[in-house]
Amino acid sequence: MSYLLSCCIYVWLILLPVRTSALNEEIEVLVLLPKNNSYIFSMPRVRPAIEYARMRLSADLYPGLNFTVHYDNSDCGNEALFSLVSRSCMKKPDLILGPVCEYAAAQVVRMASHWNIPVISAGALATGFSHKEKEYSHLTRIAPSYLKMGETFSALFEHFGWNKVLLIFEDDSEERNCYFTIEGVHSSLHVEGYKVDSVVIHKDHRVETDEIIKDIYKTEAVVVMCAGGDTVRDIMLAAHRRRLTSGGYIFFNIELFNSSSYGDGSWRRGDKYDAEAKLAYSALNVVTLMRTAKAEFETFTTEVKKSIQRAGIGPDSANVNMFMEGFHDALLLYALALHEVVKNGFSKKDGVQITQSMRNRTFEGIAGQVSIDENGDRNGDFSVMAMTDTQSGTYEAVFNYFGVNQSFQEIPGFNTDRFTLRERPRPPSPEQPDQSSGGLGVSAVTGIIVGALLGTALLMAFYFFRKNYRITIERRTQREECDIGKHRQLREDSIRSNFSAA
């Protein structure tokens, strides 16, 4: 009997790894994205990427893993929370993908953390989501946050010896993307002790480039912008006309999501200022996410583009961006973490364990290596692009920054002189006051003197004119009196003769 029991235990021990390592799960996934295609992370754009990952996982990597994916409209607002609550009344999801917009994500992540549901997003990039001790405890960010991008600038400042920065950003009352972007840069540089100033451009107001140029003169160093393409162009044209693009200042524009526009004439508008704008943009550097290319990514790109075009969005909107890559990799990351958690004796309902398993993990994503840090945030790899061909006005990456080890990689197009601050042109400042004039400026004193002389000349002219006029009047009066006397005498003689005749 003991022999039979020993054999059973032996067989059970042999089969145990096989049984626990096999992943046979039905996973309910809730995707919260806006249906509006004005967003580059809209549901019709991102859905093909998620479906590509789902089929790939079920077919090749984890055949026993079945995802049932529900797509609900987040509308970048309260609708995201309403969708989560409505869906949870029927059955709580095992995984939430999204939302992207900060205000929508904040509500959803708080509720999901309370309900012990893992959330993975390629958005929610604001600095505030870095604090995950309580309300954002179940959030994993599969795309580099704005704070990670800010660390890139900190590394640049240390590498090139800069110490001052002016942050110029365009703000609105809704999504506030540039506000959150610049917040990450400000937080990172401020912590490192650099001098940071900022200028806000309200989106619905006219851009006062003269005032911005005055702020740039005060900064005397590096200018970092986040704004719409037309606003950036206006600022660069104004800076170029005042010779600020000749090396005395370093200009950056942050363009994380639409970097493909640089290299195809982002300076071009088809107006009379295009040639001047191209010269101005030769001094403008662009910080964006680093792009990698591999055979698998090319296949992914082709399939996603076909799906988007079939959906009728149009060929111009079919470019694969970081949100599509991110949500593809989000499903892959969840599968890896779930596999590890189940192997250790937990289940798909152990949201804390699954979330923790995603952290401190490196895996191969669809576009390259993905590294998640101990806080559940992706380490960012960024590129700095510059105009390497001033004739055509095209941009290329000149060096890369790797967040996982905080290192730089110079690319053949890199030129140290481009990032070296040189002598700056003097700003058109007002003249210094002359102390002998009671604190008035020289130009003011000159104006007073000239005014006094002109006044004196006018008074003298008026005096001589009045005197000459009076003499003329007196002479005319005398002549008239003489003439009147003669006429009177003639009339008297005539009357006297008449009387004599009578």
Side-chain angles (χ1 to χ4, degrees):
M1 184 67 181
S2 60
Y3 174 76
L4 180 61
L5 180 62
S6 299
C7 289
C8 290
I9 293 173
Y10 179 73
V11 171
W12 180 77
L13 290 173
I14 293 175
L15 295 177
L16 181 62
V18 177
R19 184 177 63 84
T20 56
S21 62
L23 195 58
N24 295 288
E25 296 285 353
E26 297 288 335
I27 306 298
E28 294 285 329
V29 182
L30 175 60
V31 179
L32 295 171
L33 294 171
K35 289 184 178 179
N36 188 343
N37 283 321
S38 65
Y39 298 98
I40 61 174
F41 47 84
S42 68
M43 188 187 300
R45 286 186 173 90
V46 175
R47 183 171 185 161
I50 295 175
E51 292 301 317
Y52 185 94
R54 182 182 65 81
M55 291 186 291
R56 178 187 172 207
L57 287 169
S58 299
D60 300 327
L61 301 178
Y62 301 104
L65 189 60
N66 296 315
F67 292 99
T68 302
V69 185
H70 306 279
Y71 295 89
D72 281 356
N73 183 23
S74 70
D75 199 32
C76 268
N78 294 330
E79 191 66 29
L81 178 62
F82 301 156
S83 297
L84 171 60
V85 173
S86 297
R87 182 72 59 180
S88 299
C89 289
M90 297 178 287
K91 185 178 182 180
K92 284 189 175 67
D94 302 310
L95 169 67
I96 299 172
L97 298 182
V100 171
C101 301
E102 270 71 16
Y103 294 122
Q107 302 177 71
V108 169
V109 175
R110 289 189 187 105
M111 185 63 73
S113 298
H114 176 70
W115 283 344
N116 196 24
I117 302 173
V119 181
I120 310 176
S121 180
L125 304 178
T127 302
F129 290 103
S130 301
H131 310 293
K132 299 181 179 176
E133 292 80 7
K134 295 181 181 179
E135 53 187 359
Y136 304 134
S137 59
H138 284 54
L139 173 64
T140 301
R141 294 190 284 186
I142 197 69
S145 68
Y146 296 135
L147 189 59
K148 295 291 187 182
M149 185 266 301
E151 293 171 1
T152 303
F153 278 100
S154 295
L156 286 170
F157 270 64
E158 181 180 0
H159 185 77
F160 292 108
W162 305 328
N163 52 31
K164 297 179 182 179
V165 64
L166 177 65
L167 306 176
I168 303 174
F169 66 97
E170 196 170 50
D171 198 9
D172 61 77
S173 59
E174 297 179 359
E175 298 172 47
R176 309 193 73 187
N177 290 328
C178 277
Y179 170 84
F180 291 122
T181 301
I182 291 296
E183 180 192 25
V185 181
H186 184 282
S187 298
S188 183
L189 294 177
H190 183 71
V191 167
E192 297 295 330
Y194 296 105
K195 188 179 185 306
V196 183
D197 293 315
S198 60
V199 173
V200 183
I201 302 171
H202 297 286
K203 194 169 186 180
D204 297 330
H205 296 174
R206 180 176 175 271
V207 180
E208 298 291 344
T209 54
D210 289 340
E211 295 299 319
I212 292 174
I213 293 300
K214 290 179 183 178
D215 289 312
I216 294 175
Y217 274 125
K218 295 176 187 176
T219 302
E220 300 182 352
V222 179
V223 179
V224 178
M225 295 181 286
C226 178
D230 290 339
T231 300
V232 172
R233 187 175 187 259
D234 288 343
I235 294 173
M236 290 305 300
L237 280 170
H240 182 69
R241 288 162 185 165
R242 290 164 177 82
R243 299 185 297 110
L244 303 186
T245 57
S246 58
Y249 296 85
I250 309 294
F251 290 89
F252 286 96
N253 183 43
I254 300 172
E255 185 56 83
L256 299 181
F257 312 131
N258 290 313
S259 60
S260 60
S261 64
Y262 286 88
D264 293 327
S266 55
W267 43 267
R268 187 181 293 114
R269 295 294 183 277
D271 57 23
K272 62 182 179 180
Y273 302 115
D274 274 355
E276 189 179 7
K278 184 169 69 170
L279 290 174
Y281 273 53
S282 65
L284 178 64
N285 307 293
V286 180
V287 175
T288 188
L289 288 165
M290 189 175 74
R291 308 291 297 181
T292 57
K294 58 180 185 178
E296 186 180 7
F297 179 72
E298 295 301 325
T299 303
F300 167 77
T301 299
T302 301
E303 293 301 318
V304 168
K305 283 185 175 182
K306 288 180 181 178
S307 297
I308 292 175
Q309 290 171 2
R310 281 196 298 268
I313 301 176
D316 295 337
S317 303
N319 291 327
V320 174
N321 56 50
M322 78 151 208
F323 297 105
M324 301 173 189
E325 300 171 18
F327 281 110
H328 171 281
D329 293 345
L331 211 58
L332 179 58
L333 174 61
Y334 176 82
L336 293 170
L338 179 65
H339 180 265
E340 183 176 276
V341 164
V342 170
K343 187 172 64 175
N344 292 330
F346 297 96
S347 74
K348 66 179 182 179
K349 294 300 181 182
D350 290 306
V352 172
Q353 296 297 328
I354 294 172
T355 301
Q356 290 297 323
S357 182
M358 295 181 195
R359 298 179 178 179
N360 279 322
R361 179 183 289 274
T362 300
F363 65 98
E364 193 67 23
I366 193 64
Q369 193 176 77
V370 178
S371 174
I372 309 295
D373 67 13
E374 68 280 357
N375 195 46
D377 294 329
R378 180 172 179 171
N379 290 305
D381 297 334
F382 297 88
S383 295
V384 174
M385 302 175 69
M387 187 184 291
T388 55
D389 186 344
T390 56
Q391 295 298 319
S392 61
T394 54
Y395 273 73
E396 291 180 351
V398 293
F399 64 84
N400 298 321
Y401 172 77
F402 300 95
V404 67
N405 54 14
Q406 299 179 350
S407 63
F408 282 107
Q409 176 193 35
E410 294 182 1
I411 298 175
F414 175 77
N415 185 353
T416 305
D417 292 340
R418 185 182 185 88
F419 302 96
T420 302
L421 290 169
R422 295 190 287 275
E423 184 178 356
R424 305 177 185 89
R426 291 182 177 274
S429 58
E431 296 171 300
Q432 294 297 322
D434 186 356
Q435 298 301 325
S436 63
S437 63
L440 294 174
V442 174
S443 59
V445 175
T446 303
I448 293 172
I449 294 172
V450 172
L453 291 174
L454 287 173
T456 303
L458 288 171
L459 287 172
M460 292 178 66
F462 178 74
Y463 171 76
F464 286 113
F465 172 78
R466 187 174 182 275
K467 184 176 180 180
N468 186 51
Y469 177 77
R470 188 172 59 205
I471 293 172
T472 302
I473 293 299
E474 288 176 353
R475 289 176 177 174
R476 181 182 298 172
T477 303
Q478 291 175 359
R479 288 197 301 269
E480 288 177 351
E481 288 177 352
C482 183
D483 291 341
I484 290 171
K486 292 179 180 179
H487 289 297
R488 184 183 296 115
Q489 185 66 41
L490 289 172
R491 284 198 301 271
E492 290 177 353
D493 292 343
S494 176
I495 292 170
R496 193 177 295 119
S497 62
N498 289 334
F499 280 136
S500 298

